Amino acid sequence: MAPLPLPLLVLPLTLLVLTLVLTGCAGDGAVHGRPGAAGVRDPYFPRLGNGGYDVQHYGLTLDYAPATGRLKGTAEITARATQDLSAFNLDFAGMKVDSVTVDGERAALHRAGTELTLRPHDDVARGETFRTVVHYSGVPLRITDPDESEEGWLRSGERAVGLGEPTGSMAWFPGNHHPSDKASYDIRITVPEGLKAVSNGELRSERTTAGRTSFDWHSAQPMASYLTTVAIGPYKTRTAERAEEKAVKKAGEKAGSKTAEETGKRADKAGAGTATVAALPIYSAVDPAVAADSARLLAELPGIITWQEKTFGPYPFSSTGVIIGRKGDSQYALETQNRPFLPGPTSVATLVHELAHQWFGNSVTPKSWRDMWLNEGFAEYTEWLWAEHTEQIPVRQSFEEAYEDDDNWAFPPAKPSSAAHISDPPVYGRGAMVVHQVREAVGDAAFFRIVRGWLETYRHGNADTHDFTAYVEEQAGRDLSGIWDTWLYGDGDEKPPLD
């Protein structure tokens, strides 16, 4: 056969190529994703956290050898894609990654600093739930923060504690380590027999086999990763239950009558006698080196929780307690979820502060580290309320003492000057002053109603400063920009006059 004229041959081939291209783009049913962001642009830690997915659950299996400090871990991370994903990142510092799979298929891995970039075998469709499994091992890092405090994995002989604020949890498990991504957790820790491993949530089982003991902890309520903890050591544990307390109307109180909350004469009575508190399991752990000196804190804890529930509303988690290590086991107390970690017996006021965080910070968690004052300002204010409740020190007196402290005026509480200063005095003391200014502006009855409503509205979620100011103004029915402009955002070069 003689060859066809060239134009007649080219046209069908062109049409065939065009048809194949269009079919591949639109008709093959495949997902064509893009990489998730490495970092969520936090104002102070821009590379922290990752975009493109939302973690639903962490399953952590940890095996720790105190003699060498070596940790073997498996992280099973269940997440939902918020975009079509071709790759995504996890935050992880230090230890070796042994293998990674996504939905059972080996994933390609690239590591740069604290960023793990995973490329799954198949792209993940938006809205799809996927499961990532990371096996890792090594000696976890002790991380130094911008403010020179230490976090991460803090080891001291046979003892160790994992603390995470703001970035330390990435030292002992990979994840999406930004407070805006909360999840439920199951944490299993295996240690030599004779040691305890205490974590968040409830202890589901404790089993010893061949000289090693495994502790299984379950946290059903969402938790930001910086609030996770594992405390390993020769702890003495104590279990109890805070008894249920039914609501009892105070003698002589009539419907519609003014309560102490309304008169404002005693803030500690806000809501007292009108709240029902449910039975609550208490699991605490104390290092034997400080057991005797910790007795008072353990005795005070149930009453503190009850008082806080009557002031702020229902306790947001299914158990409580405290972990009391030795002095020097960490440089600071931390509000780890369910049970705060204390470096040795502290003052009762410190325990009050850390337990207040179960509402302010742990249940209602900041959207970014710029919003730390919402955690610390309210926790500091709770200390003032407690001092009034137990020592008859008026809240106004505590406010005035904070006002006179020049350290509280170094920068606006809602705008720390850098990552090194997110835990400085203005975030605490001046943050508490903002809270009190709101109270004085709206009155006691409205104030406590607003605070309880705020905690209920954002329960187990995230919120930022704008959410708070908008909520307060909506509930108060008035413009409070004078407070925000002066006390929350004002540079503090000149202290505002006191009324």
Side-chain angles (χ1 to χ4, degrees):
M1 173 186 278
L4 294 172
L6 186 59
L8 294 177
L9 180 62
V10 172
L11 182 59
L13 286 175
T14 304
L15 289 173
L16 176 61
V17 170
L18 181 59
T19 301
L20 289 173
V21 169
L22 291 174
T23 301
C25 291
D28 63 0
V31 176
H32 300 281
R34 66 185 192 280
V40 295
R41 299 184 181 180
D42 187 275
Y44 301 107
F45 302 93
R47 298 284 290 180
L48 199 62
N50 302 285
Y53 65 95
D54 177 27
V55 177
Q56 309 295 301
H57 182 75
Y58 288 93
L60 305 179
T61 303
L62 310 173
D63 192 297
Y64 184 61
T68 61
R70 187 173 178 82
L71 180 71
K72 287 183 63 177
T74 299
E76 300 182 17
I77 305 168
T78 304
R80 180 180 57 82
T82 57
Q83 66 177 62
D84 291 342
L85 282 173
S86 62
F88 60 93
N89 282 28
L90 298 172
D91 304 309
F92 191 48
M95 286 185 283
K96 177 187 174 185
V97 176
D98 298 312
S99 66
V100 181
T101 61
V102 177
D103 286 338
E105 298 277 358
R106 187 170 295 276
L109 171 68
H110 174 73
R111 186 167 194 173
T114 60
E115 293 289 335
L116 304 182
T117 302
L118 283 62
R119 187 172 292 277
H121 181 271
D122 298 308
D123 288 5
V124 181
R126 178 180 180 180
E128 181 180 340
T129 297
F130 63 100
R131 181 171 171 266
T132 302
V133 179
V134 183
H135 296 280
Y136 56 97
S137 59
V139 176
L141 292 178
R142 180 182 292 254
I143 293 175
T144 301
D145 285 342
D147 65 0
E148 299 186 354
S149 62
E150 294 182 332
E151 55 171 322
W153 194 261
L154 307 180
R155 179 189 175 206
S156 178
E158 67 180 350
R159 297 166 171 85
V161 60
L163 298 178
E165 187 178 85
T167 68
S169 293
M170 71 169 72
W172 54 281
F173 70 96
N176 199 10
H177 289 294
H178 190 266
S180 60
D181 192 358
K182 302 167 70 169
S184 59
Y185 282 76
D186 282 290
I187 302 177
R188 168 178 285 188
I189 319 106
T190 301
V191 296
E193 184 177 4
L195 297 181
K196 298 286 188 181
V198 185
S199 189
N200 313 92
E202 290 74 60
L203 181 63
R204 286 193 159 179
S205 68
E206 177 181 339
R207 299 186 184 92
T208 299
T209 304
R212 295 184 67 77
T213 305
S214 296
F215 298 83
D216 291 341
W217 293 89
H218 175 68
S219 298
Q221 291 88 18
M223 176 164 58
S225 65
Y226 80 91
L227 299 169
T228 58
T229 191
V230 168
I232 296 167
Y235 288 101
K236 301 300 181 184
T237 58
R238 174 176 173 176
T239 59
E241 185 171 88
R242 195 277 311 275
E244 179 183 21
E245 183 177 317
K246 297 286 188 180
V248 177
K249 187 174 290 186
K250 288 172 284 190
E253 184 178 310
K254 298 179 180 179
S257 67
K258 286 192 174 183
T259 65
E261 172 186 283
E262 293 171 310
T263 64
K265 291 181 180 179
R266 288 293 302 278
D268 61 283
K269 290 186 177 178
T274 63
T276 296
V277 293
L280 183 67
I282 301 172
Y283 185 104
S284 296
V286 181
D287 194 291
V290 296
D293 293 336
S294 301
R296 183 189 175 194
L297 289 179
L298 296 176
E300 292 271 12
L301 190 149
I304 294 170
I305 288 288
T306 297
W307 171 79
Q308 289 178 337
E309 282 198 86
K310 291 180 178 181
T311 304
F312 302 128
Y315 180 73
F317 303 109
S318 48
S319 67
T320 189
V322 65
I323 305 169
I324 307 177
R326 302 171 304 170
K327 293 184 186 299
D329 283 347
S330 73
Q331 298 169 325
Y332 49 85
L334 188 63
E335 62 270 20
T336 43
Q337 195 152 301
N338 300 94
R339 50 193 58 84
F341 181 84
L342 306 181
T346 62
S347 66
V348 173
T350 297
L351 181 59
V352 168
H353 182 108
E354 303 306 332
L355 291 173
H357 278 306
Q358 304 305 310
W359 285 263
F360 303 101
N362 297 14
S363 177
V364 182
T365 305
K367 286 182 179 177
S368 83
W369 288 110
R370 177 178 286 166
D371 306 305
M372 270 279 281
W373 82 273
L374 286 170
N375 297 13
E376 301 300 349
F378 271 102
E380 185 82 1
Y381 195 72
T382 304
E383 287 191 55
W384 299 358
L385 293 173
W386 179 257
E388 183 172 74
H389 173 62
T390 59
E391 302 174 52
Q392 291 71 55
I393 298 173
V395 170
R396 178 70 185 192
Q397 179 179 325
S398 298
F399 169 85
E400 291 175 355
E401 290 173 358
Y403 176 90
E404 294 299 331
D405 186 347
D406 290 340
D407 288 344
N408 286 327
W409 298 92
F411 55 78
K415 288 187 176 180
S417 51
S418 72
H421 299 294
I422 62 171
S423 294
D424 277 8
V427 175
Y428 290 70
R430 194 167 157 197
M433 284 190 273
V434 172
V435 175
H436 192 66
Q437 285 294 302
V438 171
R439 180 180 175 185
E440 290 198 332
V442 304
D444 280 11
F447 172 77
F448 286 102
R449 173 180 56 78
I450 289 169
V451 170
R452 293 186 189 112
W454 165 255
L455 292 167
E456 179 62 29
T457 300
Y458 289 92
R459 182 182 176 93
H460 297 316
N462 293 88
D464 60 18
T465 299
H466 174 73
D467 293 326
F468 177 75
T469 57
Y471 181 86
V472 171
E473 290 191 345
E474 178 185 7
Q475 295 299 312
R478 55 183 292 193
D479 177 20
L480 296 173
S481 58
I483 293 175
W484 317 136
D485 293 346
T486 302
W487 296 88
L488 187 57
Y489 292 108
D491 56 24
D493 289 343
E494 292 186 12
K495 295 180 184 179
L498 291 181
D499 296 334

